[in-house]
Amino acid sequence: MSRRAALFLVGFGVWSWVIWPMFLRNIWVDPRSFAPGPTGFFLVHALLTAASLLFGTMIGVIGWRAWRRS
């Protein structure tokens, strides 16, 4: 893998960790999220956030390892 591609993957991983926690914070304060407990709206978006952070981390690690090898 080229250094440029590896850097792109690392950037994607970092981007995921910048964007998705902010997204979850915005969902958390949305009035549709809790009534009186967690709603389906909140649970779906929480799972989406968790999956995106997991994939972002995995992609970032792949990019970091490729960067170090090149």
Side-chain angles (χ1 to χ4, degrees):
M1 177 181 308
S2 70
R3 288 180 68 92
R4 184 176 179 171
L7 185 61
F8 176 79
L9 294 180
V10 170
F12 180 85
V14 170
W15 175 259
S16 294
W17 277 95
V18 169
I19 293 300
W20 286 104
M22 188 182 324
F23 176 77
L24 185 59
R25 183 185 58 82
N26 291 335
I27 294 298
W28 189 278
V29 299
D30 191 310
R32 296 174 288 177
S33 294
F34 298 98
T39 61
F41 172 81
F42 176 76
L43 295 175
V44 166
H45 286 89
L47 288 173
L48 175 65
T49 300
S52 296
L53 288 174
L54 176 66
F55 291 136
T57 300
M58 292 170 33
I59 290 169
V61 167
I62 291 168
W64 178 253
R65 289 180 180 174
W67 176 267
R68 285 189 359 203
R69 287 187 189 138
S70 62

